[in-house]
Amino acid sequence: MASIRFGLLGALRLTCEDREIRLGGGRQRAVLALLLLRHGRTVSVDELAETVWDGSPPPTARTQISICVAQLRKLFREAGVDGEVIATSHPGYRLDTEGHGLDLVDFLSLTGHASALAGSGRSAEAADAYRLALALWRGPALDGLTGYALEQEACWLEEQRLTALDGHAELRLALGRHQELTAELAALVREHPLRERTRHSLMLAQYRSGRRADALETFRVGHQLSIDELGLEPGTALRELHHAVLCEDPAIAAPPTVPEPVAPVAPAVPVAPAVPIAPAVPVAHVTAEESAGQPETSPADSPGEASAPVDRGPALPAPPLAPSDLPPNIPSFTGRTAEIEVLDALLDGRPDGEPPRVALVTGVAGIGKTALAVHWSHRAAASFPDGCLHVDLGSAPAAPGEVLGRLLRSLGAPGERLPDDEASRISLYRRLLRGRRVLVVLDDASSFAQVAPLLPANGGCCVVVTSRESMEELVLRHGAVRVPLGVLDRADSTALLDRIVTGGRTAASRAQTARLAELCDGLPLALCIAAARLATRPHWTVRRLADRLADEHRRLDELSLGGSRVRASFELSHGCLSPRLASVYRRLSLLDVPDVPAWAVAALLDCPVETAEQYLDELTDAHLLEVSGPDATGQYRYRFQSLLRLYARERAQEDPDRPAAEAARDRALHSWLTVAEAAHRREYGGDHSVVHGPAPRPHVDRDLLDDLLARPLDWFDSERHCLVAAVTQSARLGLAALAWDLAASTVGFCEIRSNTDDWRRLCEEGLAASRAAGDRQGEGVMLGELGAALLYRGESEASVRLLEEADGVLRAGGEVYGAALNACKLAVVVRQRGDAGAARALLDGALPALRAAGDLSAQAHALNNLAQIALDAGDLEEAVRLGREAVALARGLGATRGAAQAFHRLGRALLAAGRLPEAEEALTEAAGIVRAKRDRLGMAYVLLGLAEARLRAGRADRADEDLTAALALAEETGSTVLMGRLHLLRVELEEARAPGAVLPQEV
């Protein structure tokens, strides 16, 4: 049977029996290249289409992919190949290289063998293995193929070539072959000037060749480049070598030259098509799960038969007793200072009889768990002279016994004599580690059961476990230190982008770089993918990529091209959820709120709050939600990272019971109305000063309401952003009655907190929804509330227009009570514009309807305004009478804001009438209420009144204290009107303190 030799390390090439097979056009070549890169694994038709058409496949893409595969199969048959090279495998195709050859597999096998030989001290043979591996390259990998996904694969392959070149150079230096190296290393440094490992080898070769000045110049140029391009000093290794060259340290002197071996080197393992291909993102750019390196293989573990053009040699001897199995360090690693400090604490000495030190690094997929573990392991390797073991438990899950077999062979146990049963292997593993200081890294563990057999038993060892699971048993039973990872902050996010995207492109556009970092949510995987896209597209600006990511509908698509996919990484975490928990997660994403408390989730799921809390805690343990809080009411709040929310919403579109999911969403939105209405009643002493509509109110437990609304303003402060978001979403969904009713129940709190921006937005959203639905009641109410918001902002002209329009709509709809409330608002602006008679008429006309509705709060408010009109007219006794009547009504409301306003208005009337002790008493009553509510603007007005009363009573010092406190509060609220009145009083106070001044009470 004829066999094919596939080539990716250069232009895509196929040969059969020394005859080249001519391929068709670019689509056929792209399909074959991707199948080869994923050989042995199914590639979906969608991924093939995305690759061939670079993210924009036509409607006929699936058909054209099928045609390309059929043409490739025909080519193989015509070449004399029996059997199916490309198999149909749902949801796409799989290319099997069994019985054929692939240069990439040979390359990876030879470089892996070279690394093992180097670790065994067989440097000459290792160098020859690298030479054979590098000889397989015919030019740039995938030369001639274009498209983002394939370009990313080519970048990764090029990185492997450069890594092999560096390894080969270091071995040749160790063998004393520095003279032959300088020219080729100099050329490589010119091509890759920021690659410090290559520059290090060149400096060493130059120094050992007697060219000390050249070595120092090589460092100087590299140092300047690092500062100019990256804003960073060169790495420790390069700086230490520079110091050694300056000092002519004997430690870097040239070793004796070892001649090259004559015999070719055999690979460590059979060259088989089962060697996995790494992710598409270049190794220098990856983080998190992508940085974990290739799964370990050994003669006993590697499947497949040899198919490389090299002879299969004898098996390697047992590895050394001080193994170093760590994957390469992460060049782009950034940040995590606090987490590294926690891990560094594990290096404290511990007697061998103590249990081992264990750290558990947790976080969502893509957050950088593996990157942290690998980076720290390299940093701490010197503290473990007996070796560093690394096992990737996630990429190729295996039974503990099989994993123990790998670890035992790394520790020097002869593979042919390993015990068969798991218990014996555990015992042997722990005996071999006894008395030694070894670091064990267990990467991407899925459960405690997977980790427990792999834990050493002695205190000299240290274990770092990375997992998406919380692994409480590991913490409880083995004292593991938890190292939870969150997203990177803005500084570290932009620093990571800067390290990967060279040429100063990110530094030249700081604002857009910060925007890009924010759109990537600070997620290291997303940042690295974005940076890789920029790095491979030098013609793109940072802004262009940020603009592409700004579209929420395509953001995950933009970050999920090629082999490293944000969406796929999230699927790892989502796939571990139970069906019920996955459903909860999807439904949570349907709420467009910045965060959510457990009581709202209970409404969403129609379950008790305790059950909702359990679900939320489980999702937090799975790192799919973040917890914040407690808020001002003592409730913990939960939020999505933005990329995870987008992913969850995608999955929500697949919900088999969409109507039920949407009904759950609407129920949760209505629950905010239930609580907001209850909060308003408690703050206003009843269902006063608000018009409600027909929107349903889901039941919320009375005890829960008591807990939430012990201080209604605290609840509003905690819930404000969610209330605005709930109104906005309700309006967008066409739930008009909910949108305007929830807005109407909320705007009173916005007034108390002087939050005119949210006040205006709530009313505009409610008004738009009402008009779209033809809801005249809601339209009238929202016009009035919007008019009040503009009045509060000082926009009186616009306010009058809206309030008059509201009056017409409400009266036309027969909304008598709503029209009376609106008349009170209109009276205020009419009075401020100087028409006291019209204002009095509006208020007198509104009072009968307010009395009929039993609205004590609105009645008191109307009387307060009538008192102010009397005060403005100089009728002080009438002002005092009306003020006392308002206070009498307000006392029935309790310690409400309406009561505070009534006491304040009465105090002002008494102050104007010169009844200073009574005025101070009324204002003090008002102060007690607003202070308890933390009403800053209200408190500033009350303090102004108290300052005036005390100044006129001859107590200038006490007046000064009140005035100073009022000025501070007025500055916080930004009330220019109040600031003007306070500054006038300050002038009056200073004049009263002047020598010889007549005190106010003497006037």
Side-chain angles (χ1 to χ4, degrees):
M1 166 180 142
S3 64
I4 300 175
R5 177 74 181 165
F6 297 96
L8 294 173
L9 306 182
L12 180 62
R13 181 181 180 187
L14 279 72
T15 57
C16 182
E17 307 295 339
D18 296 327
R19 291 178 290 104
E20 186 165 350
I21 300 175
R22 297 183 63 83
L23 288 166
R27 293 175 188 168
Q28 189 181 106
R29 299 169 71 83
V31 167
L32 178 58
L34 190 60
L35 289 171
L36 285 168
L37 288 162
R38 307 281 190 272
H39 65 277
R41 293 156 49 193
T42 298
V43 184
S44 70
V45 174
D46 289 342
E47 185 178 0
L48 288 165
E50 288 280 333
T51 300
V52 171
W53 283 279
D54 203 17
S56 301
T60 60
R62 299 181 72 86
T63 301
Q64 294 190 52
I65 293 296
S66 177
I67 292 171
C68 286
V69 171
Q71 292 170 340
L72 287 169
R73 287 169 171 168
K74 182 180 177 183
L75 278 178
F76 299 152
R77 286 195 301 272
E78 290 176 350
V81 177
D82 295 329
E84 195 171 42
V85 180
I86 301 178
T88 300
S89 175
H90 182 75
Y93 302 96
R94 184 185 70 255
L95 188 148
D96 293 317
T97 56
E98 186 174 357
H100 306 284
L102 175 57
D103 57 5
L104 174 57
V105 171
D106 298 347
F107 173 77
L108 293 173
S109 178
L110 283 164
T111 54
H113 182 41
S115 179
L117 287 167
S120 303
R122 296 159 65 181
S123 300
E125 295 164 85
D128 205 44
Y130 272 127
R131 179 184 61 78
L132 291 172
L134 291 165
L136 294 170
W137 285 74
R138 297 170 283 106
L142 305 178
D143 196 13
L145 292 173
T146 59
Y148 175 75
L150 293 177
E151 289 168 8
Q152 291 294 86
E153 297 284 359
C155 285
W156 181 81
L157 292 170
E158 175 63 8
E159 180 63 26
Q160 304 311 299
R161 185 183 75 88
L162 293 173
T163 300
L165 283 167
D166 285 332
H168 192 207
E170 288 165 359
L171 286 167
R172 292 161 72 190
L173 283 168
L175 295 169
R177 301 174 191 165
H178 40 271
Q179 295 283 0
E180 66 190 45
L181 266 172
T182 51
E184 58 187 85
L185 283 174
L188 199 57
V189 166
R190 284 193 297 272
E191 188 178 352
H192 303 280
L194 292 174
R195 196 171 181 85
E196 290 192 358
R197 187 178 175 189
T198 311
R199 188 174 294 274
H200 185 283
S201 293
L202 174 59
M203 284 179 62
L204 197 55
Q206 289 170 328
Y207 175 79
R208 289 177 176 177
S209 300
R211 296 164 55 185
R212 180 168 175 261
D214 289 344
L216 293 172
E217 176 63 10
T218 296
F219 176 83
R220 187 196 65 78
V221 171
H223 180 272
Q224 192 62 48
L225 271 172
S226 185
I227 295 295
D228 293 344
E229 296 290 334
L230 305 177
L232 299 170
E233 288 287 329
T236 303
L238 209 58
R239 285 186 278 113
E240 289 178 350
L241 178 59
H242 177 244
H243 179 73
V245 170
L246 287 172
C247 300
E248 297 188 36
D249 190 340
I252 61 171
T257 302
V258 177
E260 294 190 16
V262 177
V265 176
V269 296
V271 180
V275 177
I277 303 300
V281 176
V283 166
H285 298 173
V286 298
T287 187
E289 282 68 1
E290 278 76 339
S291 66
Q294 302 302 313
E296 299 90 334
T297 57
S298 68
D301 295 329
S302 301
E305 297 297 327
S307 59
V310 292
D311 295 333
R312 183 172 180 177
L316 285 173
L321 295 184
S324 181
D325 294 346
L326 298 175
N329 206 341
I330 315 299
S332 61
F333 185 86
T334 304
R336 304 301 191 197
T337 303
E339 291 83 358
I340 288 174
E341 288 179 0
V342 174
L343 292 172
D344 283 345
L346 300 176
L347 300 177
D348 296 340
R350 181 176 288 190
D352 213 48
E354 295 289 323
R357 296 150 292 173
V358 181
L360 173 62
V361 182
T362 61
V364 71
I367 202 68
K369 301 183 295 296
T370 298
L372 173 63
V374 170
H375 176 80
W376 181 81
S377 297
H378 280 280
R379 167 189 171 102
S383 298
F384 300 97
D386 298 312
C388 299
L389 301 173
H390 176 275
V391 182
D392 184 351
L393 297 172
S395 62
E402 183 180 341
V403 177
L404 283 163
R406 298 183 214 165
L407 293 172
L408 288 168
R409 282 186 285 273
S410 292
L411 290 168
E416 67 278 4
R417 284 186 282 173
L418 292 180
D420 293 329
D421 63 291
E422 183 178 307
S424 298
R425 289 190 174 194
I426 293 173
S427 177
L428 177 59
Y429 170 67
R430 289 174 177 165
R431 285 203 309 274
L432 286 175
L433 290 175
R434 190 177 301 149
R436 298 179 183 172
R437 298 186 65 191
V438 174
L439 173 64
V440 181
V441 181
L442 304 176
D443 198 13
D444 200 11
S446 60
S447 67
F448 175 71
Q450 191 182 30
V451 167
L454 311 179
L455 297 175
N458 56 305
C461 292
C462 180
V463 183
V464 176
V465 181
T466 73
S467 179
R468 295 183 298 275
E469 302 296 325
S470 58
M471 288 202 195
E472 293 178 354
E473 287 181 278
L474 190 64
V475 176
L476 292 174
R477 295 173 58 179
H478 295 275
V481 176
R482 291 189 74 251
V483 187
L485 294 189
V487 296
L488 297 176
D489 61 23
R490 175 176 290 189
D492 285 339
S493 295
T494 54
L496 179 56
L497 292 170
D498 291 343
R499 295 193 69 173
I500 298 174
V501 184
T502 58
R505 290 158 66 196
T506 52
S509 184
R510 300 314 298 172
Q512 290 300 322
T513 300
R515 178 178 170 229
L516 179 61
E518 184 176 351
L519 289 167
C520 290
D521 214 15
L523 186 73
L525 173 59
L527 289 164
C528 287
I529 292 173
R533 295 199 70 182
L534 286 174
T536 56
R537 283 170 168 75
H539 57 286
W540 275 20
T541 62
V542 179
R543 179 171 185 168
R544 178 175 179 180
L545 181 57
D547 286 345
R548 292 170 72 98
L549 295 184
D551 183 351
E552 286 192 353
H553 298 293
R554 61 185 292 181
R555 190 178 306 163
L556 283 179
D557 292 331
E558 292 287 341
L559 295 173
S560 297
L561 297 172
S564 297
R565 302 179 172 212
V566 168
R567 185 182 285 113
S569 73
F570 291 163
E571 183 61 41
L572 293 174
S573 295
H574 182 268
C576 295
L577 302 179
S578 67
R580 174 57 178 161
L581 198 56
S583 175
V584 170
Y585 188 61
R586 293 193 296 269
R587 293 188 178 187
L588 264 177
S589 72
L590 297 177
L591 293 173
D592 286 340
V593 292
D595 54 21
V596 66
W599 62 263
V601 178
L604 176 81
L605 305 176
D606 197 17
C607 69
V609 174
E610 294 77 15
T611 304
E613 288 175 339
Q614 181 179 345
Y615 288 137
L616 291 166
D617 287 342
E618 289 180 28
L619 289 170
T620 303
D621 288 343
H623 309 288
L624 293 171
L625 288 180
E626 294 178 335
V627 64
S628 60
D631 63 19
T633 68
Q635 298 286 311
Y636 284 93
R637 308 186 71 85
Y638 299 81
R639 63 172 178 257
F640 284 92
Q641 293 172 15
S642 59
L643 290 175
L644 277 167
R645 183 192 294 276
L646 294 177
Y647 169 76
R649 283 182 181 165
E650 283 187 354
R651 298 308 304 262
Q653 300 306 311
E654 305 166 8
D655 195 316
D657 194 356
R658 285 286 298 280
E662 291 169 358
R665 173 203 63 201
D666 295 350
R667 185 172 56 246
L669 291 172
H670 282 85
S671 72
W672 267 288
L673 175 58
T674 302
V675 185
E677 184 179 15
H680 179 94
R681 282 198 303 270
R682 296 186 186 214
E683 183 61 30
Y684 282 78
D687 216 5
H688 302 314
S689 302
V690 63
V691 177
H692 290 303
R697 275 84 164 151
H699 173 74
V700 176
D701 184 75
R702 180 56 183 256
D703 291 340
L704 174 61
L705 284 176
D706 289 341
D707 288 341
L708 292 175
L709 304 178
R711 298 167 66 98
L713 280 169
D714 284 350
W715 175 81
F716 170 74
D717 291 339
S718 301
E719 212 66 46
R720 177 170 61 90
H721 295 299
C722 282
L723 289 166
V724 174
V727 170
T728 303
Q729 184 176 13
S730 300
R732 193 184 71 244
L733 293 171
L735 301 173
L738 171 61
W740 73 257
D741 202 340
L742 182 54
S745 299
T746 303
V747 293
F749 293 105
C750 294
E751 181 182 3
I752 295 171
R753 287 295 189 239
S754 306
N755 189 339
T756 57
D757 290 337
D758 284 346
W759 187 353
R760 183 172 187 167
R761 183 179 174 189
L762 286 164
C763 296
E764 288 174 343
E765 294 285 357
L767 178 59
S770 300
R771 283 175 168 168
D775 186 335
R776 296 289 282 172
Q777 183 189 30
E779 181 181 1
V781 172
M782 289 293 96
L783 281 167
E785 295 294 359
L786 183 56
L790 296 185
L791 172 62
Y792 199 96
R793 292 165 67 99
E795 302 175 32
S796 60
E797 292 293 334
S799 173
V800 167
R801 288 195 302 271
L802 288 168
L803 290 167
E804 288 176 343
E805 184 180 357
D807 182 69
V809 173
L810 291 166
R811 292 185 186 281
E815 179 57 65
V816 177
Y817 173 57
L821 291 175
N822 189 72
C824 292
K825 299 180 180 75
L826 186 57
V828 174
V829 68
V830 169
R831 178 182 62 79
Q832 288 180 355
R833 299 177 73 183
D835 194 344
R840 185 184 298 109
L842 285 166
L843 292 165
D844 288 339
L847 275 168
L850 299 178
R851 292 187 182 109
D855 189 339
L856 300 180
S857 178
Q859 290 177 62
H861 179 67
L863 290 169
N864 282 336
N865 282 300
L866 286 169
Q868 185 63 49
I869 292 171
L871 194 58
D872 292 341
D875 191 348
L876 302 184
E877 290 305 316
E878 177 67 4
V880 171
R881 185 190 68 78
L882 289 167
R884 292 196 186 281
E885 189 177 343
V887 166
L889 287 171
R891 286 187 187 278
L893 300 173
T896 65
R897 185 167 186 262
Q901 289 174 330
F903 279 113
H904 177 257
R905 188 72 67 195
L906 175 60
R908 299 298 311 185
L910 290 166
L911 180 60
R915 295 156 68 172
L916 300 182
E918 294 175 79
E920 186 171 348
E921 181 182 354
L923 290 168
T924 302
E925 288 272 6
I929 296 173
V930 294
R931 185 181 294 111
K933 294 183 179 301
R934 296 200 295 275
D935 180 354
R936 293 175 298 164
L937 185 61
M939 192 65 195
Y941 271 106
V942 171
L943 286 169
L944 168 62
L946 284 169
E948 290 183 34
R950 287 161 178 166
L951 176 60
R952 281 153 180 72
R955 295 152 61 194
D957 289 343
R958 184 66 186 277
D960 190 16
E961 293 175 11
D962 295 332
L963 185 56
T964 301
L967 279 166
L969 289 169
E971 288 177 356
E972 289 180 23
T973 60
S975 174
T976 55
V977 173
L978 178 59
M979 287 291 292
R981 292 180 62 180
L982 290 167
H983 283 301
L984 285 174
L985 185 60
R986 170 65 71 188
V987 172
E988 186 178 343
L989 176 62
E990 295 303 325
E991 290 175 349
R993 284 176 158 177
V998 179
L999 294 175
Q1001 75 270 22
E1002 295 173 351
V1003 176

